[in-house]
Amino acid sequence: MMWDKKILKMLGLSDVSIELLRSMSTAKSLSHVAKETGIPRTSVAFTLKELLERKLVNQVKFGKRYRYIALTQQQFVLELQNIIDEVTIATETKKGARIKTAKENEFIIHVGPKEIIPTFARIASLNKNERIKAIQHHRSYLDQIHKLTPEQFRSFNKSIIDNHLVVDGILNEGAYDSYEKEITSDPQRYKESTKTLEGRMADYTVFPNDRFNYDSEIWIFKDTTLIINWHEDVAIEIINKNMTGFMREMFEYVKAGGKKVDHNKMIREVLKGINA
């Protein structure tokens, strides 16, 4: 266990606790930990109970027996972020409902760009270097570019680029024409924002304009789905493997009937047309 000394100091852990965490970088029985560290078994049991209560160690069942494994520093930081999010949701105004149906299942409603954009950034940071899926009709894009300030729009797309996400995206056939038309209507306002759509690691497919003809868009991550409706300024965060798996299969079904396009090339063509 290679934890930063500042975090260990903040947690106020004893030398025995730190020694046990280091020993449990892999799953081990209580007896194994006692033998490896040379700490008496009773002391190990007492300290281990405290570490379990503080959720710094997980208990894993192997057959009829239990083994114990310490959280990595990254896991601890993520758990801490979840707690911060819960406190923020409980104390801030304009927060929507947070429904937890099980330990691993949660549904959260976010209201307004000031909630939606940080939520997207948080989820993106938890899925660094992953391939994510997105379904978006140009109607959603138009709502997004109208509702958000240029800084907010850039911030949203920056989360994708900064976290090295590969966007497996589906757009409607008329999306790029719509982008160009919108930029032409007010180049000073929209051109710089649209530039941020270029530079994504992207694999895009287009579908007929009459399909998914809604104001909402869907972003599918590893275990989380985020449905955003910019027109209503609301998003639903779904933390549920079963429902996210269903969304992923639905995505693949739609993609199979689409046509591949080079997204970055298409955006460059849109911007080139404006410059001409």
Side-chain angles (χ1 to χ4, degrees):
M1 183 201 71
M2 299 298 292
W3 280 39
D4 189 281
K5 290 182 179 179
K6 292 180 181 178
I7 294 180
L8 292 174
K9 185 176 180 180
M10 180 184 71
L11 292 172
L13 297 177
S14 67
D15 291 342
V16 172
S17 295
I18 294 173
E19 183 67 22
L20 293 189
L21 288 177
R22 286 175 177 158
S23 175
M24 290 182 286
S25 58
T26 57
K28 294 173 183 174
S29 67
L30 190 152
S31 298
H32 189 168
V33 173
K35 182 177 180 181
E36 182 176 89
T37 61
I39 298 171
R41 196 175 189 280
T42 52
S43 297
V44 170
F46 178 81
T47 306
L48 181 58
K49 182 180 178 182
E50 180 186 356
L51 293 173
L52 285 167
E53 289 175 351
R54 297 179 71 166
K55 297 185 178 180
L56 295 174
V57 170
N58 287 325
Q59 182 176 259
V60 184
K61 194 168 186 178
F62 282 76
K64 295 183 179 180
R65 298 179 181 275
Y66 289 101
R67 294 183 185 177
Y68 304 90
I69 184 168
L71 266 66
T72 64
Q73 180 169 302
Q74 183 181 17
Q75 288 172 326
F76 171 75
V77 170
L78 292 179
E79 287 292 332
L80 185 60
Q81 183 61 58
N82 287 335
I83 293 171
I84 292 171
D85 289 341
E86 288 179 7
V87 172
T88 301
I89 293 260
T91 56
E92 287 188 2
T93 60
K94 280 196 70 180
K95 293 290 183 180
R98 186 175 190 130
I99 303 170
K100 199 172 184 70
T101 59
K103 183 179 180 181
E104 66 280 1
N105 297 333
E106 197 163 13
F107 303 84
I108 310 169
I109 297 175
H110 303 279
V111 181
K114 290 184 179 180
E115 290 183 24
I116 297 172
I117 294 172
T119 294
F120 186 89
R122 170 175 56 80
I123 298 171
S125 71
L126 298 177
N127 289 269
K128 285 184 178 180
N129 305 307
E130 293 283 349
R131 190 178 185 90
I132 66 172
K133 303 180 186 299
I135 302 176
Q136 181 187 56
H137 194 277
H138 79 262
R139 282 174 54 179
S140 181
Y141 162 79
L142 294 181
D143 283 330
Q144 184 182 19
I145 205 167
H146 288 158
K147 291 279 184 139
L148 304 184
T149 65
E151 291 74 21
Q152 288 175 324
F153 191 88
R154 285 193 291 270
S155 176
F156 186 87
N157 288 293
K158 191 171 183 290
S159 295
I160 297 172
I161 296 171
D162 287 354
N163 289 291
H164 309 290
L165 300 179
V166 179
V167 180
D168 193 354
I170 304 179
L171 301 172
N172 63 302
E173 291 174 325
Y176 299 104
D177 290 338
S178 174
Y179 296 167
E180 184 171 354
K181 182 179 179 181
E182 197 62 29
I183 298 172
T184 305
S185 70
D186 191 346
Q188 187 174 1
R189 179 178 179 185
Y190 298 125
K191 186 176 176 181
E192 290 302 315
S193 294
T194 305
K195 277 184 179 180
T196 65
L197 296 175
E198 185 187 4
R200 297 174 173 181
M201 293 185 285
D203 180 9
Y204 271 71
T205 302
V206 293
F207 57 82
N209 288 322
D210 59 351
R211 300 184 69 179
F212 288 99
N213 189 14
Y214 298 96
D215 296 320
S216 298
E217 59 188 60
I218 304 174
W219 293 85
I220 307 168
F221 298 84
K222 186 177 180 181
D223 298 319
T224 303
T225 297
L226 188 65
I227 302 174
I228 306 174
N229 186 310
W230 294 109
H231 185 74
E232 301 291 341
D233 278 346
V234 66
I236 302 174
E237 180 182 356
I238 303 172
I239 306 169
N240 181 288
K241 289 184 178 180
N242 189 282
M243 294 182 72
T244 298
F246 170 76
M247 294 286 190
R248 190 175 289 113
E249 288 197 18
M250 179 188 71
F251 175 94
E252 295 297 342
Y253 178 78
V254 176
K255 180 181 177 180
K259 180 176 68 175
K260 297 274 286 187
V261 296
D262 185 332
H263 176 72
N264 287 317
K265 179 181 177 181
M266 295 297 287
I267 292 295
R268 286 194 294 270
E269 289 297 320
V270 167
L271 295 171
K272 182 179 178 182
I274 302 304
N275 292 328

mmCIF file of all heavy atoms in Angstrom, residues 233-260:
data_model
loop_
_atom_site.group_PDB
_atom_site.id
_atom_site.type_symbol
_atom_site.label_atom_id
_atom_site.label_comp_id
_atom_site.label_asym_id
_atom_site.label_seq_id
_atom_site.Cartn_x
_atom_site.Cartn_y
_atom_site.Cartn_z
ATOM 1 N N ASP A 233 -33.140 21.644 -18.795
ATOM 2 C CA ASP A 233 -32.076 21.868 -17.802
ATOM 3 C C ASP A 233 -32.087 20.820 -16.700
ATOM 4 O O ASP A 233 -31.960 21.138 -15.505
ATOM 5 C CB ASP A 233 -32.197 23.266 -17.181
ATOM 6 C CG ASP A 233 -31.575 24.346 -18.047
ATOM 7 O OD1 ASP A 233 -30.825 23.989 -18.973
ATOM 8 O OD2 ASP A 233 -31.846 25.532 -17.819
ATOM 9 N N VAL A 234 -32.227 19.562 -17.074
ATOM 10 C CA VAL A 234 -32.264 18.498 -16.073
ATOM 11 C C VAL A 234 -31.498 17.279 -16.588
ATOM 12 O O VAL A 234 -31.430 17.033 -17.810
ATOM 13 C CB VAL A 234 -33.729 18.113 -15.730
ATOM 14 C CG1 VAL A 234 -34.406 17.478 -16.930
ATOM 15 C CG2 VAL A 234 -33.799 17.206 -14.516
ATOM 16 N N ALA A 235 -30.883 16.552 -15.674
ATOM 17 C CA ALA A 235 -30.169 15.320 -16.026
ATOM 18 C C ALA A 235 -30.460 14.260 -14.980
ATOM 19 O O ALA A 235 -30.665 14.570 -13.800
ATOM 20 C CB ALA A 235 -28.666 15.572 -16.115
ATOM 21 N N ILE A 236 -30.493 13.013 -15.419
ATOM 22 C CA ILE A 236 -30.689 11.889 -14.508
ATOM 23 C C ILE A 236 -29.437 11.019 -14.547
ATOM 24 O O ILE A 236 -29.050 10.513 -15.608
ATOM 25 C CB ILE A 236 -31.912 11.046 -14.895
ATOM 26 C CG1 ILE A 236 -33.173 11.914 -14.920
ATOM 27 C CG2 ILE A 236 -32.093 9.887 -13.913
ATOM 28 C CD1 ILE A 236 -34.403 11.190 -15.424
ATOM 29 N N GLU A 237 -28.797 10.872 -13.406
ATOM 30 C CA GLU A 237 -27.616 10.020 -13.271
ATOM 31 C C GLU A 237 -28.083 8.658 -12.762
ATOM 32 O O GLU A 237 -28.664 8.556 -11.687
ATOM 33 C CB GLU A 237 -26.626 10.660 -12.297
ATOM 34 C CG GLU A 237 -25.357 9.862 -12.085
ATOM 35 C CD GLU A 237 -24.426 10.514 -11.084
ATOM 36 O OE1 GLU A 237 -24.733 11.637 -10.605
ATOM 37 O OE2 GLU A 237 -23.390 9.905 -10.758
ATOM 38 N N ILE A 238 -27.824 7.625 -13.547
ATOM 39 C CA ILE A 238 -28.259 6.271 -13.200
ATOM 40 C C ILE A 238 -27.025 5.423 -12.895
ATOM 41 O O ILE A 238 -26.233 5.125 -13.783
ATOM 42 C CB ILE A 238 -29.056 5.629 -14.350
ATOM 43 C CG1 ILE A 238 -30.270 6.503 -14.705
ATOM 44 C CG2 ILE A 238 -29.501 4.214 -13.989
ATOM 45 C CD1 ILE A 238 -30.996 6.053 -15.961
ATOM 46 N N ILE A 239 -26.875 5.067 -11.638
ATOM 47 C CA ILE A 239 -25.756 4.207 -11.232
ATOM 48 C C ILE A 239 -26.342 2.823 -11.000
ATOM 49 O O ILE A 239 -26.795 2.481 -9.905
ATOM 50 C CB ILE A 239 -25.072 4.747 -9.967
ATOM 51 C CG1 ILE A 239 -24.667 6.208 -10.163
ATOM 52 C CG2 ILE A 239 -23.847 3.900 -9.607
ATOM 53 C CD1 ILE A 239 -24.233 6.909 -8.907
ATOM 54 N N ASN A 240 -26.382 2.038 -12.051
ATOM 55 C CA ASN A 240 -27.032 0.738 -12.005
ATOM 56 C C ASN A 240 -26.488 -0.104 -13.156
ATOM 57 O O ASN A 240 -26.687 0.232 -14.327
ATOM 58 C CB ASN A 240 -28.553 0.912 -12.133
ATOM 59 C CG ASN A 240 -29.302 -0.403 -12.071
ATOM 60 O OD1 ASN A 240 -29.256 -1.191 -13.002
ATOM 61 N ND2 ASN A 240 -29.991 -0.642 -10.967
ATOM 62 N N LYS A 241 -25.774 -1.169 -12.843
ATOM 63 C CA LYS A 241 -25.122 -1.975 -13.873
ATOM 64 C C LYS A 241 -26.129 -2.604 -14.826
ATOM 65 O O LYS A 241 -25.896 -2.700 -16.035
ATOM 66 C CB LYS A 241 -24.269 -3.074 -13.228
ATOM 67 C CG LYS A 241 -23.004 -2.557 -12.546
ATOM 68 C CD LYS A 241 -22.154 -3.693 -12.025
ATOM 69 C CE LYS A 241 -20.872 -3.170 -11.379
ATOM 70 N NZ LYS A 241 -20.024 -4.284 -10.868
ATOM 71 N N ASN A 242 -27.268 -3.029 -14.292
ATOM 72 C CA ASN A 242 -28.260 -3.687 -15.127
ATOM 73 C C ASN A 242 -28.836 -2.723 -16.157
ATOM 74 O O ASN A 242 -28.912 -3.028 -17.353
ATOM 75 C CB ASN A 242 -29.379 -4.259 -14.249
ATOM 76 C CG ASN A 242 -30.333 -5.134 -15.029
ATOM 77 O OD1 ASN A 242 -31.195 -4.634 -15.746
ATOM 78 N ND2 ASN A 242 -30.202 -6.434 -14.881
ATOM 79 N N MET A 243 -29.246 -1.538 -15.699
ATOM 80 C CA MET A 243 -29.834 -0.564 -16.608
ATOM 81 C C MET A 243 -28.794 -0.005 -17.577
ATOM 82 O O MET A 243 -29.086 0.235 -18.757
ATOM 83 C CB MET A 243 -30.500 0.563 -15.818
ATOM 84 C CG MET A 243 -31.700 0.101 -15.017
ATOM 85 S SD MET A 243 -32.534 1.441 -14.135
ATOM 86 C CE MET A 243 -33.305 2.311 -15.505
ATOM 87 N N THR A 244 -27.566 0.195 -17.082
ATOM 88 C CA THR A 244 -26.506 0.677 -17.967
ATOM 89 C C THR A 244 -26.174 -0.375 -19.021
ATOM 90 O O THR A 244 -25.934 -0.044 -20.184
ATOM 91 C CB THR A 244 -25.255 1.045 -17.149
ATOM 92 O OG1 THR A 244 -25.574 2.112 -16.252
ATOM 93 C CG2 THR A 244 -24.119 1.484 -18.056
ATOM 94 N N GLY A 245 -26.199 -1.652 -18.625
ATOM 95 C CA GLY A 245 -25.980 -2.731 -19.594
ATOM 96 C C GLY A 245 -27.057 -2.744 -20.661
ATOM 97 O O GLY A 245 -26.783 -2.954 -21.852
ATOM 98 N N PHE A 246 -28.296 -2.502 -20.242
ATOM 99 C CA PHE A 246 -29.408 -2.443 -21.198
ATOM 100 C C PHE A 246 -29.204 -1.296 -22.183
ATOM 101 O O PHE A 246 -29.386 -1.449 -23.389
ATOM 102 C CB PHE A 246 -30.722 -2.253 -20.436
ATOM 103 C CG PHE A 246 -31.896 -1.938 -21.334
ATOM 104 C CD1 PHE A 246 -32.503 -2.925 -22.083
ATOM 105 C CD2 PHE A 246 -32.365 -0.641 -21.428
ATOM 106 C CE1 PHE A 246 -33.572 -2.626 -22.914
ATOM 107 C CE2 PHE A 246 -33.434 -0.326 -22.250
ATOM 108 C CZ PHE A 246 -34.040 -1.332 -23.003
ATOM 109 N N MET A 247 -28.813 -0.121 -21.667
ATOM 110 C CA MET A 247 -28.558 1.037 -22.528
ATOM 111 C C MET A 247 -27.435 0.746 -23.514
ATOM 112 O O MET A 247 -27.494 1.127 -24.690
ATOM 113 C CB MET A 247 -28.177 2.252 -21.670
ATOM 114 C CG MET A 247 -29.281 2.770 -20.781
ATOM 115 S SD MET A 247 -30.549 3.654 -21.713
ATOM 116 C CE MET A 247 -31.489 4.382 -20.367
ATOM 117 N N ARG A 248 -26.413 0.043 -23.034
ATOM 118 C CA ARG A 248 -25.274 -0.273 -23.898
ATOM 119 C C ARG A 248 -25.689 -1.199 -25.043
ATOM 120 O O ARG A 248 -25.282 -1.007 -26.196
ATOM 121 C CB ARG A 248 -24.160 -0.907 -23.060
ATOM 122 C CG ARG A 248 -22.837 -1.045 -23.801
ATOM 123 C CD ARG A 248 -21.741 -1.559 -22.897
ATOM 124 N NE ARG A 248 -21.345 -0.540 -21.932
ATOM 125 C CZ ARG A 248 -21.539 -0.605 -20.644
ATOM 126 N NH1 ARG A 248 -22.142 -1.652 -20.109
ATOM 127 N NH2 ARG A 248 -21.147 0.366 -19.836
ATOM 128 N N GLU A 249 -26.512 -2.184 -24.746
ATOM 129 C CA GLU A 249 -26.976 -3.096 -25.794
ATOM 130 C C GLU A 249 -27.900 -2.373 -26.774
ATOM 131 O O GLU A 249 -27.850 -2.631 -27.986
ATOM 132 C CB GLU A 249 -27.687 -4.301 -25.167
ATOM 133 C CG GLU A 249 -26.740 -5.266 -24.477
ATOM 134 C CD GLU A 249 -27.364 -6.622 -24.221
ATOM 135 O OE1 GLU A 249 -28.382 -6.939 -24.870
ATOM 136 O OE2 GLU A 249 -26.829 -7.355 -23.379
ATOM 137 N N MET A 250 -28.737 -1.473 -26.262
ATOM 138 C CA MET A 250 -29.596 -0.677 -27.129
ATOM 139 C C MET A 250 -28.751 0.172 -28.069
ATOM 140 O O MET A 250 -29.039 0.287 -29.268
ATOM 141 C CB MET A 250 -30.503 0.229 -26.294
ATOM 142 C CG MET A 250 -31.432 1.111 -27.118
ATOM 143 S SD MET A 250 -32.325 2.321 -26.112
ATOM 144 C CE MET A 250 -30.987 3.433 -25.676
ATOM 145 N N PHE A 251 -27.679 0.749 -27.529
ATOM 146 C CA PHE A 251 -26.767 1.565 -28.322
ATOM 147 C C PHE A 251 -26.178 0.745 -29.476
ATOM 148 O O PHE A 251 -26.151 1.196 -30.624
ATOM 149 C CB PHE A 251 -25.637 2.092 -27.428
ATOM 150 C CG PHE A 251 -24.567 2.853 -28.161
ATOM 151 C CD1 PHE A 251 -24.625 4.227 -28.272
ATOM 152 C CD2 PHE A 251 -23.495 2.182 -28.741
ATOM 153 C CE1 PHE A 251 -23.637 4.932 -28.956
ATOM 154 C CE2 PHE A 251 -22.507 2.866 -29.429
ATOM 155 C CZ PHE A 251 -22.584 4.255 -29.523
ATOM 156 N N GLU A 252 -25.688 -0.447 -29.162
ATOM 157 C CA GLU A 252 -25.071 -1.287 -30.187
ATOM 158 C C GLU A 252 -26.080 -1.679 -31.267
ATOM 159 O O GLU A 252 -25.741 -1.779 -32.450
ATOM 160 C CB GLU A 252 -24.465 -2.543 -29.547
ATOM 161 C CG GLU A 252 -23.309 -2.272 -28.591
ATOM 162 C CD GLU A 252 -22.109 -1.627 -29.266
ATOM 163 O OE1 GLU A 252 -22.017 -1.683 -30.511
ATOM 164 O OE2 GLU A 252 -21.264 -1.053 -28.550
ATOM 165 N N TYR A 253 -27.323 -1.887 -30.871
ATOM 166 C CA TYR A 253 -28.375 -2.234 -31.835
ATOM 167 C C TYR A 253 -28.604 -1.086 -32.809
ATOM 168 O O TYR A 253 -28.704 -1.291 -34.026
ATOM 169 C CB TYR A 253 -29.671 -2.561 -31.089
ATOM 170 C CG TYR A 253 -30.837 -2.884 -31.988
ATOM 171 C CD1 TYR A 253 -30.953 -4.128 -32.604
ATOM 172 C CD2 TYR A 253 -31.819 -1.926 -32.235
ATOM 173 C CE1 TYR A 253 -32.019 -4.429 -33.446
ATOM 174 C CE2 TYR A 253 -32.897 -2.210 -33.071
ATOM 175 C CZ TYR A 253 -32.984 -3.468 -33.669
ATOM 176 O OH TYR A 253 -34.037 -3.745 -34.507
ATOM 177 N N VAL A 254 -28.665 0.131 -32.278
ATOM 178 C CA VAL A 254 -28.871 1.305 -33.136
ATOM 179 C C VAL A 254 -27.651 1.541 -34.020
ATOM 180 O O VAL A 254 -27.767 1.825 -35.218
ATOM 181 C CB VAL A 254 -29.152 2.559 -32.278
ATOM 182 C CG1 VAL A 254 -29.259 3.801 -33.155
ATOM 183 C CG2 VAL A 254 -30.424 2.377 -31.466
ATOM 184 N N LYS A 255 -26.470 1.391 -33.443
ATOM 185 C CA LYS A 255 -25.234 1.640 -34.184
ATOM 186 C C LYS A 255 -25.086 0.693 -35.369
ATOM 187 O O LYS A 255 -24.590 1.084 -36.437
ATOM 188 C CB LYS A 255 -24.030 1.491 -33.244
ATOM 189 C CG LYS A 255 -22.691 1.735 -33.919
ATOM 190 C CD LYS A 255 -21.541 1.547 -32.945
ATOM 191 C CE LYS A 255 -20.202 1.711 -33.657
ATOM 192 N NZ LYS A 255 -19.061 1.530 -32.731
ATOM 193 N N ALA A 256 -25.539 -0.546 -35.182
ATOM 194 C CA ALA A 256 -25.393 -1.557 -36.242
ATOM 195 C C ALA A 256 -26.123 -1.142 -37.526
ATOM 196 O O ALA A 256 -25.736 -1.546 -38.623
ATOM 197 C CB ALA A 256 -25.928 -2.903 -35.757
ATOM 198 N N GLY A 257 -27.156 -0.318 -37.403
ATOM 199 C CA GLY A 257 -27.903 0.109 -38.586
ATOM 200 C C GLY A 257 -27.475 1.469 -39.108
ATOM 201 O O GLY A 257 -28.134 2.027 -40.000
ATOM 202 N N GLY A 258 -26.401 2.024 -38.561
ATOM 203 C CA GLY A 258 -25.955 3.356 -38.953
ATOM 204 C C GLY A 258 -24.816 3.340 -39.957
ATOM 205 O O GLY A 258 -24.390 2.287 -40.437
ATOM 206 N N LYS A 259 -24.307 4.532 -40.244
ATOM 207 C CA LYS A 259 -23.218 4.692 -41.214
ATOM 208 C C LYS A 259 -22.058 5.410 -40.534
ATOM 209 O O LYS A 259 -22.220 6.449 -39.901
ATOM 210 C CB LYS A 259 -23.703 5.518 -42.414
ATOM 211 C CG LYS A 259 -22.647 5.736 -43.482
ATOM 212 C CD LYS A 259 -23.228 6.485 -44.675
ATOM 213 C CE LYS A 259 -23.576 7.917 -44.310
ATOM 214 N NZ LYS A 259 -24.025 8.717 -45.456
ATOM 215 N N LYS A 260 -20.843 4.843 -40.672
ATOM 216 C CA LYS A 260 -19.658 5.400 -40.019
ATOM 217 C C LYS A 260 -19.264 6.734 -40.650
ATOM 218 O O LYS A 260 -19.346 6.908 -41.866
ATOM 219 C CB LYS A 260 -18.490 4.422 -40.137
ATOM 220 C CG LYS A 260 -18.715 3.087 -39.449
ATOM 221 C CD LYS A 260 -18.330 3.124 -37.997
ATOM 222 C CE LYS A 260 -16.821 3.125 -37.845
ATOM 223 N NZ LYS A 260 -16.440 3.004 -36.420
#
